[in-house]
């Protein structure tokens, strides 16, 4: 998987399309905090998970809830009451089908569905589930046509890592998100290099947190002329080596990209070219952000689950029009939902479980809560403000 993504980045992106560096410390903060929403009436929805792998991504497409199974190819649909409707995208190589399972997905305002599959193939379906664009780049075909350039570039980067080189990056699996605006995809990215990363405390780690990029974007209709790498980690990651809490989530609304990092109470707002505009957001008193440093990749792997359970952090981000929602895992193990209207924080709701808001229909927001493997059910909630 990593090799496939690495090669695709070589073809799709070049340094001339990257956004410039910026100084997060110089940004102005917008908004006020005046909480008027302290509770929400969540209505529980239970979706039948029979015949699924109980792992995948969820999207809201109009009144339909779509399941993109991580291990099983067909894309399944449920109605807004949680009732199973059927398969909307079949598996296979026929026109309008999907040849393999999707690892990430996104739906735009027009109802178009973007998918990246296990082999890093990209598909864009219209609202009737017909293919609009598809890019199937098997890794062996790419190596056959670009082998000398790829090998030479990778060999140089192994010796001297360069964050400005697009072939340094792959899809950031820890973020578990992708956005689609019209036919433009916004994809979280991370460097793929044995030394230039944030796992081991050394000079390369310091450079990684300061200089590496976090997003890739391009238009499905014209990849060659629209490719771009942009965005950086905020200063908090330069102060302490905490890769376990380096996850982030993001939303794209109109011409703005909102980004929230696990270890930072602020929400950063940039334009689609990566230029930072300002920040918003308020921290929670029950998230101290006092994380132990990780010194090696082995410490990262061993400590990930325990530390994410023990310490608080900022988690999923969802935005729709003027409304912004952010879930927070507190130091005491509880969860909260922060609610913003424009730049202003208006809601602070305590929850027992995490919530991933996936969309809005008829003035109701829908969110995934958990998977109950024992009963073969997916638990969702819907709510209105």
């Amino acid at each position: 998987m990593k090799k496939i993504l690495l090669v695709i980045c070589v073809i799709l992106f070049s340094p001339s399309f990257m956004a410039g560096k910026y100084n997060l410390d110089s940004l102005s903060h917008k908004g006020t905090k005046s909480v008027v929403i302290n509770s929400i009436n969540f209505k529980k929805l239970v979706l039948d998970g029979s015949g699924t792998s109980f792992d995948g991504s969820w999207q809201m497409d109009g009144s339909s809830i779509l399941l993109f199974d991580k291990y099983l190819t067909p894309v399944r649909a449920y109605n807004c009451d949680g009732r199973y409707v059927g398969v909307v995208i079949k598996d296979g190589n026929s026109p309008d089908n999907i040849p393999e399972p999707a690892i990430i997905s996104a739906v735009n305002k027009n109802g178009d569905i973007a998918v990246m599959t296990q082999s890093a193939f990209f598909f864009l379906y219209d609202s009737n589930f017909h293919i609009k664009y598809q890019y199937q780049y098997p890794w062996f075909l790419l190596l056959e046509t670009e082998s000398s350039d790829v090998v030479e570039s990778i060999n140089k980067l192994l010796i001297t890592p360069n964050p400005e080189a697009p072939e340094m990056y792959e899809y950031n699996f820890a973020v578990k998100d992708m956005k689609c605006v019209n036919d433009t995809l916004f994809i979280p990215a991370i460097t793929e290099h044995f030394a230039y990363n944030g796992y081991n405390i050394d000079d390369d780690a310091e450079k990684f947190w300061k200089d590496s990029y976090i997003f890739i974007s391009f238009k499905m209709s014209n990849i060659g002329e629209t490719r771009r790498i942009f965005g950086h980690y905020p200063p908090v990651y330069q102060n302490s080596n905490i890769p376990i809490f380096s996850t982030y989530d993001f939303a794209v609304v109109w011409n703005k990209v909102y980004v929230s990092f696990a270890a930072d109470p602020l929400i950063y707002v940039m334009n689609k070219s990566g230029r930072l505009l300002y920040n918003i957001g308020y921290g929670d008193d029950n998230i101290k952000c006092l994380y132990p440093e990780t010194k090696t990749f082995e410490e990262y792997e061993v400590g990930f689950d325990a530390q994410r359970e023990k310490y608080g952090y900022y988690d999923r981000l969802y935005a729709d029009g003027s409304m912004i929602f952010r879930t927070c895992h507190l130091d005491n193990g509880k969860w909260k939902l922060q609610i913003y209207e424009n730049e202003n924080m208006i809601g602070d709701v305590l929850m027992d479980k995490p919530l991933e808001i996936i969309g809005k229909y008829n003035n109701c927001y829908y969110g995934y809560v958990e998977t109950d493997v024992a009963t073969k059910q997916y638990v969702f909630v819907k709510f209105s403000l």
Side-chain angles (χ1 to χ4, degrees), residues 110-300:
N110 301 321
D112 297 339
I113 301 167
V115 175
M116 183 170 75
T117 68
Q118 290 180 346
S119 297
F121 298 165
F122 289 102
F123 297 86
L124 185 66
Y125 300 84
D126 65 20
S127 57
N128 294 314
F129 309 109
H130 299 309
I131 287 286
K132 294 180 69 174
Y133 304 106
Q134 59 179 312
Y135 294 93
Q136 299 191 44
Y137 294 129
W139 64 271
F140 53 86
L141 291 180
L142 288 175
L143 289 178
E144 181 180 349
T145 57
E146 301 286 343
S147 59
S148 61
D149 292 338
V150 171
V151 172
E152 181 181 358
S153 176
I154 291 177
N155 286 339
K156 287 181 179 179
L157 291 172
L158 288 174
I159 300 172
T160 307
N162 176 16
E164 301 297 323
E167 56 267 39
M168 284 277 291
Y169 295 87
E170 69 164 355
Y171 172 74
N172 191 337
F173 287 89
V175 176
K176 300 178 181 178
D177 206 351
M178 177 174 74
K179 302 299 181 186
C180 181
V181 179
N182 295 321
D183 69 336
T184 299
L185 296 185
F186 294 82
I187 302 171
I190 191 170
T191 58
E192 173 57 23
H193 193 276
F194 72 94
Y196 191 88
N197 55 60
Y199 300 118
N200 303 304
I201 294 184
D202 53 25
D203 291 341
D204 279 334
E206 293 182 9
K207 296 174 183 176
F208 169 83
W209 296 119
K210 180 181 178 182
D211 299 329
S212 67
Y213 293 90
I214 63 172
F215 287 118
I216 294 169
S217 72
F218 59 85
K219 286 188 176 182
M220 292 283 285
S221 60
N222 190 359
I223 292 178
E225 296 183 9
T226 60
R227 55 207 176 198
R228 184 183 301 276
I229 295 179
F230 67 95
H232 296 283
Y233 291 96
V236 63
Y237 296 103
Q238 300 171 34
N239 300 331
S240 181
N241 205 68
I242 48 174
I244 289 176
F245 298 95
S246 65
T247 53
Y248 53 95
D249 201 6
F250 67 105
V252 183
V253 180
W254 297 311
N255 292 318
K256 296 177 181 178
V257 180
Y258 296 81
V259 191
S260 177
F261 297 85
D264 194 326
L266 297 175
I267 298 171
Y268 296 94
V269 185
M270 63 183 71
N271 65 20
K272 291 180 181 178
S273 297
R275 183 173 66 86
L276 279 163
L277 305 174
Y278 54 89
N279 58 54
I280 65 173
Y282 293 88
D284 191 281
D285 292 339
N286 290 306
I287 302 178
K288 303 300 183 183
C289 293
L290 300 175
Y291 311 115
E293 282 199 309
T294 299
K295 299 179 180 179
T296 65
F297 180 73
E298 288 71 22
E299 287 185 9
Y300 168 85

Side-chain angles (χ1 to χ4, degrees), residues 244-245 286 291-292 302-313 328-335 352-354:
I244 289 176
F245 298 95
N286 290 306
Y291 311 115
V302 172
F304 187 90
D305 290 338
Q307 288 195 29
R308 298 281 288 198
E309 181 71 23
K310 180 178 180 179
Y311 298 98
Y313 56 89
C328 311
H329 180 251
L330 309 182
D331 289 331
N332 61 13
K334 295 287 187 178
W335 289 83
D352 291 327
K353 295 180 180 179

Side-chain angles (χ1 to χ4, degrees), residues 346-358:
I346 63 169
D348 194 30
V349 180
L350 190 65
M351 305 183 299
D352 291 327
K353 295 180 180 179
L355 175 66
E356 178 189 355
I357 299 175
I358 63 168

Side-chain angles (χ1 to χ4, degrees), residues 337-365:
L337 178 65
Q338 292 185 342
I339 304 170
Y340 295 84
E341 187 172 18
N342 295 314
E343 295 90 13
N344 306 311
M345 183 174 174
I346 63 169
D348 194 30
V349 180
L350 190 65
M351 305 183 299
D352 291 327
K353 295 180 180 179
L355 175 66
E356 178 189 355
I357 299 175
I358 63 168
K360 181 183 180 182
Y361 176 70
N362 273 355
N363 293 320
C364 279
Y365 295 95

Side-chain angles (χ1 to χ4, degrees), residues 44-52 54 78 353 370-380:
K44 183 178 179 180
L45 298 176
V46 177
L47 281 60
D48 182 14
S50 301
T52 71
F54 302 105
Y78 301 79
K353 295 180 180 179
E370 63 181 351
T371 299
D372 189 338
V373 178
T375 61
K376 297 183 178 181
Q377 294 176 330
Y378 299 104
V379 179
F380 276 71

